[in-house]
Amino acid sequence: MSAPAAELLELRGVSMAFGGLSVVDRLDLDVRAGEIVSVIGPNGAGKTTLFNLVTGIYRPTAGKIRFEGQSIVGLEPHQITRRGIARTFQTLRLFLNMTVRENVMAAAYGHTKAGVFRAILRTPGQRREERAIRELAERRLAFFGERLMGYRWDQPAYSLSYANRRRLEIARATATNPRLLLLDEPAAGMNPVETHEITELIGKLRTEGGYTILVIEHDMHVVEGISDRVIALDHGVKIAEGSFDAVATDPRVVEAYLGTKAAERK
Amino acid sequence: MADEETRRERLEEGVPAASATAGPQIGVDEWVARSAERRGGRGGRLGVVEARLRTVPWWAWLTLFVAIVAALPVGFESGYVRRVAFDTVIFMLLALGLNVVVGWGGLLDLGYVAFYGVGAYTYAILSADRYDLHLPVFVSIPAAAVVGGLVGLLVGLPSRRLVGDYLAIVTLFFFQIFLTVSNNSDSIFGEDRAGGPNGILNVEPLSLFGRELPVSTEGIFNVAYLYVALAFFVVVFVALRLANASRTGRAWRSLREDPLAAELMGMPVNWLKLTAFAFGAAVAALTGTLVTALNGSVFPQTFEFPLLITVYTMVILGGAGSQAGVVIGAIGISVLLELLREPGDSRFLFYVLSVLALVGTLRFSRRLAIVLGGTLALGFVVHSLAGAIDGSWTAGAARDGGRLGEWATQWVVVPSSLASWVTPVSYIGLVAAVLTLTLLRGRLRLALLVPTLYLAAFVWENVMLAKPEPTRFVVLGAILIAVMVARPEGVLGEKRVEIV
Amino acid sequence: MDTFIQLTINGFTLGSVYALIALGYSLVYGILKLLNFAHGDVFMVGSFIGFGALQLLGGSTAPKVPTWLLLVLITLAAMAGCALLGVVIERFAYRPLRNAPRIAPLISALGVSFFLAYSMQLMFGSEQRDYDAFSLSGGALFFNGFDIGNVRVPLLRIVIVASAFALMIVLWLLVTRTRTGKAMRATSYDREAAAMMGIDVDRVIVFAFVLGSALAGAAGVMFALRAPTDVAIGFLAGLKGFTAAVIGGIGSIPGAMAGGLILGFAEAFTQGYISTRWSDLLVFVILIAFMLVRPQGLFGKPDIKKV
């Protein structure tokens, strides 16, 4: 990135242990506004745990997490989301029996106000807000071009294909009006064409949507295509950080992925 | 509402625009998305009618429905019909309230009936002679609903920290606490506060605009109560519908679908659980006021476990999540329970439903003829054999005769007195036979169906008709299990999917 | 002091019955994550099967076999009958809902509970059935025993507590020492993983139902030996057994035992020292408080959310 922007997300010495098992160990991590940062690492490296820590599902056993300069440790997940962090899930957690549009509209809950009694009385303010939510949802869905358009809006989410479910998850996350978007393996289970599309889409999310993005990804083509910076984790410890090329050739990263022998051969 | 508009627009446009191009490939998104069109749409005239009916907006259905119920007293003069209609509307209200918690919130509220009781008691305390408060109904009824909602919040509060099933347990505890308190309210710290098992008597009836509505005129149920209940129903139905279409309603349903995802999308899940809970409780409490006003009294025995199961069966049978569904479920179960009270009606219901069920599953086919013919033949054979062996075996009289009863005793073995082992053996045999039927396929199933039907008739005539009270609840339990296993979405509910 | 000892004995007996019921809840919950609301009614059916077996063997006034054998036989009959009932319930009411939304089997369980209770009422009426244990061997079970201070501990109580604990130890051994027991524990940690490791999950689940229901049957007989039974006892007994399981930490076997005893003592002491009328209320209020402070129970581990 050109201008050194402010730190949007800051992790200092964050550790997480379940019982005696340390999953994340004294992790320092920064994400600056406007960046796309990728987190890579073998399975069990603590990547998803990292997301769970940032979004408040887990409370770190030690360390500080700051978002826009304020500590978010100990906040409820929904409060963190309201501050501007939204995420998608590796295993897809859509509201399957709600329509596509409702999935996105539901996520606007955090930044809207009209209570249920106003809804029952149908006050003008509530109707205005409801229209605004609807428009917001449609704009977010329109972001994906043809993919999530038109008559699909009223289909239940379970009728979508796998790739479209991933897209809908991203649309839903953006409807919370976040500044930081956490994407958990957005290209998992996609075919090459779709993977290519998602790579472009992530770029577009930054340029057009203005989101800062932290992404977990296994597909190195995607990582290479999108990342300003790559962070490699192994056993909860940061083992490398830097440009894609630097990290991808780092012997410790190769070792983490392929084992010691392969690293030696290299 | 908005969804319906767009659906209508689409229908007016005719076929979805996308199909102008070549048909979608199998397995691709469009194909999946249009599965409903491939399966759902009926062909021919019936299909056209169905499509037309779908375009009728919900409020038109509601108006039509209310008009029919309102016209009932005109057609039927009898106080009995009016009273049953009133009770049914009460059940509809209860089902609507429970639907908020179970159908939308996806929470298991096992204390629901206690909130109904809280409303009933609150109204009684505010308007019974014994407490001498005599608040006007425009104060006491909303007050009862608010109290119900607040108690709902309070009960939900401990469950903030408890996930899933624990909420069900806390509500069950609350139910038990409510029962203990109300049953022992004749000695709270040694003082009689609310009559205990003797309840609170002499509660004022409703009075509207300064005029008291007597409960009955010349011994006939005052139809004004039916209209008041119906008005409550309309208000509650519309209010809940609007709530469901709003931001809060979406959040409730998100919570049902996936609480963790909802929380991470910025929805305060705990708070939403509490509100869903409180809303259900408020509706139940509101309903309680009506019943107390009509009965002029309130007793703890009204709010027991069977009532809870009854309301649950209504919601589940109709289709949790669908307002129209739970209303239909409430009507169906309410009428069913009423019919099961009288042996004559109960017998009629049994034979009609059995034949209808057979026609429904086998259609008009040769198999249907075989089964019906076989069952009839088996019956006459068994009947004459039994009569030949011992005359007393077929000498029993039909309970609450009628012509159908006389016919039935010519076919079903009804002994003049039952040996004590016959009841459990035949009943358990019937349950076993029905369960086995669900495991069999093809010819074997048909073959077993014949004796099972006859056994069912035997049990119905000899066991069930003799004891209407447990029979009603056995039937409810069976419906609950059968619906859950065979069609969890109920009659009108939308099919749900869950990826595990 | 005498009252205290008396109440302790009462609490112990009651507690061991609750513990047996709690174990059934715990076993099933541990594996299926299902609150088996019907369990209390299985317990009730157990007490009736015991009653039926007792009548077949001549009743308590003129038994055809020696008292000890009589007790063993009726308990075994109840255990076998309930085990069969448990298998049937699992097969027809829960198995079809294995992959349904979480709330579906719970509602089905409510239906089963209701169906069982009212089927029993339909068949046998709502009158109380008394085992009349007092008549067995001319009251030997009540007059014999040993003394603590001025209080006599009747033989019947000793038998109940001892056999309840014997059953629990058998269960403990089954779960910790046998192959099936290991499979059960594996399944309760992670059902899918267990299935992939070649464990027949269906069989394990059936086994859990067999064990749990058999214990409920035994508990039913023990309960009915000290007080008359009727078709309505299932609800409250089930609720208490479940509560005991929650206190101890649902899914944990020692937890269920501890929870049962705690509940038994709590009930006995509130009844003895405070009020019979309000004892249920106090017990439930204590419980809600307990669940707030330690929702995972005494022996349970806090849930780790999986994302």
Side-chain angles (χ1 to χ4, degrees):
Chain A
M1 295 250 67
S2 47
E7 310 282 353
L8 192 62
L9 180 72
E10 238 181 306
L11 273 70
R12 288 287 171 272
V14 170
S15 298
M16 181 71 205
F18 296 114
L21 181 71
S22 172
V23 188
V24 170
D25 194 17
R26 279 164 289 169
L27 183 68
D28 293 336
L29 188 150
D30 293 300
V31 181
R32 275 164 237 126
E35 264 190 318
I36 297 182
V37 178
S38 299
V39 181
I40 63 167
N43 289 324
K47 303 186 298 293
T48 297
T49 307
L50 168 67
F51 273 25
N52 288 345
L53 286 167
V54 174
T55 51
I57 298 176
Y58 300 149
R59 202 194 163 114
T61 32
K64 294 196 183 82
I65 304 177
R66 273 194 292 267
F67 181 68
E68 294 184 320
Q70 285 174 315
S71 171
I72 53 170
V73 173
L75 292 182
E76 300 270 320
H78 72 264
Q79 293 170 319
I80 293 177
T81 308
R82 282 178 193 192
R83 297 233 176 153
I85 302 180
R87 71 174 286 180
T88 64
F89 300 90
Q90 186 185 341
T91 46
L92 289 177
R93 303 188 73 138
L94 287 169
F95 308 130
L96 287 175
N97 297 294
M98 291 163 67
T99 66
V100 168
R101 192 197 331 240
E102 274 186 323
N103 263 275
V104 184
M105 286 171 80
Y109 190 94
H111 55 81
T112 45
K113 285 195 296 293
V116 63
F117 291 104
R118 283 172 67 193
I120 289 172
L121 299 172
R122 287 180 62 76
T123 61
Q126 188 268 341
R127 287 159 73 170
R128 214 172 320 129
E129 188 182 276
E130 194 69 4
R131 262 200 309 279
I133 294 174
R134 210 179 162 80
E135 279 160 17
L136 171 82
E138 289 170 3
R139 267 204 314 281
R140 295 293 188 252
L141 284 164
F143 191 80
F144 295 84
E146 282 294 297
R147 292 298 188 176
L148 291 173
M149 284 299 277
Y151 70 96
R152 285 211 191 97
W153 288 352
D154 294 317
Q155 296 279 352
Y158 65 73
S159 70
L160 292 183
S161 70
Y162 189 78
N164 269 350
R165 287 186 190 185
R166 285 228 174 271
R167 293 186 185 106
L168 180 56
E169 274 226 333
I170 298 176
R172 185 178 67 172
T174 57
T176 64
N177 287 345
R179 274 176 294 289
L180 175 65
L181 204 51
L182 309 181
L183 305 176
D184 199 344
E185 301 201 20
M190 290 197 167
N191 67 32
V193 179
E194 291 163 341
T195 305
H196 181 69
E197 245 183 74
I198 219 82
T199 313
E200 288 186 344
L201 186 91
I202 294 173
K204 219 174 100 185
L205 278 170
R206 171 168 60 182
T207 50
E208 289 176 27
Y211 307 111
T212 306
I213 296 167
L214 181 63
V215 57
I216 294 175
E217 188 49 67
H218 274 303
D219 189 320
M220 285 304 155
H221 297 293
V222 178
V223 176
E224 185 175 13
I226 57 171
S227 314
D228 296 324
R229 211 145 47 85
V230 178
I231 292 166
L233 294 183
D234 188 28
H235 293 105
V237 182
K238 182 157 78 181
I239 52 172
E241 179 174 0
S243 71
F244 175 79
D245 293 329
V247 172
T249 51
D250 189 300
R252 274 173 304 178
V253 177
V254 178
E255 185 189 320
Y257 270 93
L258 302 172
T260 330
K261 287 225 175 97
E264 276 166 6
R265 257 204 307 280
K266 210 162 181 192
Chain B
M1 217 163 55
D3 294 348
E4 251 133 65
E5 271 163 28
T6 43
R7 205 188 315 167
R8 225 176 317 145
E9 277 163 24
R10 280 215 327 273
L11 267 157
E12 279 156 15
E13 283 162 24
V15 202
S19 72
T21 58
Q25 286 170 287
I26 289 176
V28 175
D29 223 25
E30 286 81 357
W31 187 81
V32 178
R34 286 212 231 130
S35 64
E37 290 168 35
R38 285 196 308 275
R39 275 184 280 109
R42 230 183 267 266
R45 265 183 217 152
L46 211 60
V48 176
V49 174
E50 209 178 273
R52 276 281 152 73
L53 284 182
R54 270 177 206 282
T55 62
V56 177
W58 64 271
W59 46 266
W61 285 117
L62 182 67
T63 317
L64 179 70
F65 173 74
V66 169
I68 292 174
V69 179
L72 267 183
V74 182
F76 298 89
E77 293 281 307
S78 90
Y80 174 71
V81 171
R82 294 173 176 191
R83 174 75 212 218
V84 171
F86 175 83
D87 288 345
T88 306
V89 177
I90 291 297
F91 276 128
M92 284 167 7
L93 278 165
L94 284 176
L96 281 178
L98 187 61
N99 182 45
V100 176
V101 193
V102 176
W104 294 339
L107 306 165
L108 198 62
D109 179 359
L110 297 179
Y112 186 68
V113 166
F115 298 119
Y116 177 50
V118 167
Y121 266 93
T122 308
Y123 179 81
I125 288 170
L126 294 180
S127 13
D129 293 346
R130 123 175 231 174
Y131 303 97
D132 209 27
L133 290 167
H134 293 296
L135 292 186
V137 288
F138 289 107
V139 179
S140 58
I141 291 183
V146 170
V147 168
L150 287 179
V151 174
L153 276 182
L154 217 65
V155 172
L157 220 49
S159 47
R160 276 173 68 87
R161 301 189 47 187
L162 309 172
V163 274
D165 308 335
Y166 286 72
L167 181 70
I169 299 311
V170 170
T171 55
L172 199 54
F173 286 159
F174 167 67
F175 188 18
Q176 209 53 42
I177 290 172
F178 172 80
L179 286 180
T180 314
V181 172
S182 57
N183 271 306
N184 292 306
S185 59
D186 52 347
S187 165
I188 295 178
F189 300 114
E191 269 184 72
D192 186 349
R193 301 279 178 184
N198 299 320
I200 301 176
L201 305 174
N202 300 323
V203 181
E204 270 186 6
L206 291 182
S207 54
L208 292 177
F209 312 110
R211 279 181 50 189
E212 203 166 88
L213 297 179
V215 170
S216 59
T217 42
E218 293 161 24
I220 291 182
F221 180 83
N222 185 353
V223 83
Y225 276 85
L226 175 61
Y227 291 136
V228 171
L230 211 51
F232 273 66
F233 166 74
V234 173
V235 170
V236 168
F237 188 96
V238 174
L240 291 182
R241 199 175 169 97
L242 291 174
N244 185 39
S246 78
R247 160 178 175 267
T248 312
R250 280 191 297 272
W252 281 338
R253 281 172 287 135
S254 310
L255 161 76
R256 170 194 76 198
E257 296 291 317
D258 189 333
L260 186 66
E263 174 83 30
L264 284 163
M265 291 302 128
M267 291 169 248
V269 163
N270 284 327
W271 171 245
L272 286 165
K273 274 188 194 172
L274 289 187
T275 54
F277 221 69
F279 254 77
V283 172
L286 188 70
T287 316
T289 61
L290 282 179
V291 176
T292 306
L294 178 74
N295 291 336
S297 57
V298 56
F299 304 100
Q301 295 86 339
T302 315
F303 312 102
E304 299 228 326
F305 197 57
L307 181 64
L308 180 75
I309 300 292
T310 310
V311 182
Y312 260 92
T313 314
M314 290 167 171
V315 169
I316 298 301
L317 178 69
S322 150
Q323 281 191 303
V326 301
V327 168
I328 289 174
I331 297 171
I333 296 292
S334 173
V335 170
L336 175 77
L337 290 180
E338 214 41 56
L339 290 178
L340 287 177
R341 248 184 239 280
E342 292 294 321
D345 295 340
S346 177
R347 173 184 294 115
F348 180 75
L349 188 75
F350 171 75
Y351 289 111
V352 169
L353 282 187
S354 303
V355 173
L356 279 182
L358 280 179
V359 173
T361 47
L362 300 177
R363 310 278 164 183
F364 290 101
S365 63
R366 232 179 57 210
R367 287 182 305 162
L368 177 70
I370 294 172
V371 170
L372 278 181
T375 313
L376 279 176
L378 177 72
F380 288 119
V381 171
V382 172
H383 189 270
S384 49
L385 273 179
I389 297 170
D390 186 334
S392 75
W393 286 4
T394 53
R399 258 169 265 278
D400 196 28
R403 195 169 296 161
L404 187 65
E406 279 166 38
W407 286 347
T409 46
Q410 297 304 310
W411 178 65
V412 183
V413 174
V414 181
S416 49
S417 67
L418 274 184
S420 66
W421 59 269
V422 175
T423 303
V425 167
S426 61
Y427 183 80
I428 293 173
L430 176 63
V431 173
V434 170
L435 293 181
T436 316
L437 266 183
T438 64
L439 296 180
L440 298 177
R441 291 279 171 276
R443 293 232 176 111
L444 269 176
R445 187 177 210 170
L446 280 192
L448 182 64
L449 191 53
V450 171
T452 306
L453 280 172
Y454 187 71
L455 185 59
F458 176 84
V459 171
W460 202 266
E461 290 287 344
N462 289 292
V463 180
M464 312 289 253
L465 289 184
K467 290 179 178 172
E469 200 53 21
T471 299
R472 298 166 79 202
F473 296 131
V474 163
V475 169
L476 281 188
I479 291 177
L480 210 47
I481 304 170
V483 171
M484 245 30 255
V485 170
R487 196 181 155 86
E489 70 270 25
V491 176
L492 270 195
E494 304 242 322
K495 182 140 183 79
R496 297 244 184 97
V497 294
E498 185 160 3
I499 307 285
V500 187
Chain C
M1 189 62 198
D2 286 353
T3 334
F4 180 80
I5 296 170
Q6 187 60 53
L7 291 177
T8 311
I9 300 165
N10 286 354
F12 230 101
T13 343
L14 208 54
S16 46
V17 175
Y18 288 154
L20 284 179
I21 306 175
L23 282 170
Y25 277 111
S26 253
L27 281 171
V28 170
Y29 191 91
I31 290 173
L32 273 183
K33 303 284 173 281
L34 163 71
L35 280 186
N36 181 12
F37 287 116
H39 194 65
D41 297 279
V42 172
F43 158 84
M44 175 272 289
V45 172
S47 72
F48 270 74
I49 296 176
F51 183 78
L54 184 65
Q55 301 313 309
L56 282 180
L57 293 168
S60 26
T61 36
K64 293 171 189 159
V65 291
T67 304
W68 67 269
L69 184 59
L70 181 78
L71 290 179
V72 169
L73 285 178
I74 64 173
T75 311
L76 285 180
M79 289 175 78
C82 286
L84 178 68
L85 182 62
V87 171
V88 170
I89 291 172
E90 192 275 327
R91 177 65 189 79
F92 290 96
Y94 300 150
R95 193 178 296 181
L97 298 172
R98 201 66 57 79
N99 293 319
R102 201 98 164 67
I103 200 170
L106 288 174
I107 291 173
S108 182
L110 279 180
V112 174
S113 158
F114 208 59
F115 183 81
L116 278 181
Y118 283 96
S119 292
M120 291 300 279
Q121 190 185 333
L122 189 67
M123 290 187 284
F124 303 110
S126 40
E127 305 86 48
Q128 288 200 328
R129 308 289 153 119
D130 194 346
Y131 279 28
D132 192 16
F134 197 78
S135 306
L136 281 170
S137 315
L141 289 174
F142 284 79
F143 299 131
N144 294 347
F146 61 87
D147 297 318
I148 305 176
N150 299 323
V151 184
R152 158 126 317 180
V153 185
L155 191 57
L156 181 68
R157 305 250 158 173
I158 301 166
V159 169
I160 290 178
V161 173
S163 43
F165 273 84
L167 283 172
M168 289 186 232
I169 290 166
V170 170
L171 178 80
W172 176 249
L173 292 177
L174 270 177
V175 172
T176 50
R177 297 288 162 80
T178 64
R179 268 173 65 89
T180 322
K182 281 180 190 150
M184 277 175 82
R185 282 188 295 154
T187 313
S188 72
Y189 283 124
D190 190 332
R191 199 158 88 206
E192 275 164 49
M196 281 180 226
M197 292 301 125
I199 292 173
D200 184 347
V201 172
D202 276 343
R203 242 193 63 195
V204 168
I205 291 170
V206 169
F207 191 62
F209 270 88
V210 167
L211 287 181
S213 308
L215 291 180
V221 171
M222 292 173 195
F223 179 89
L225 276 170
R226 43 174 288 281
T229 178
D230 63 66
V231 293
I233 60 165
F235 179 69
L236 214 51
L239 189 58
K240 285 177 183 163
F242 175 75
T243 311
V246 172
I247 296 183
I250 193 149
S252 145
I253 292 177
M257 298 184 198
L261 289 178
I262 291 175
L263 196 65
F265 286 130
E267 196 175 323
F269 286 118
T270 46
Q271 276 178 357
Y273 287 126
I274 303 174
S275 145
T276 339
R277 278 184 126 178
W278 296 101
S279 75
D280 279 353
L281 181 82
L282 285 169
V283 168
F284 289 132
V285 170
I286 293 169
L287 277 172
I288 292 181
F290 184 88
M291 284 168 81
L292 279 176
V293 180
R294 202 177 159 83
Q296 72 270 32
L298 287 175
F299 290 74
K301 296 185 188 75
D303 257 358
I304 294 174
K305 285 180 232 167
K306 281 186 197 166
V307 182

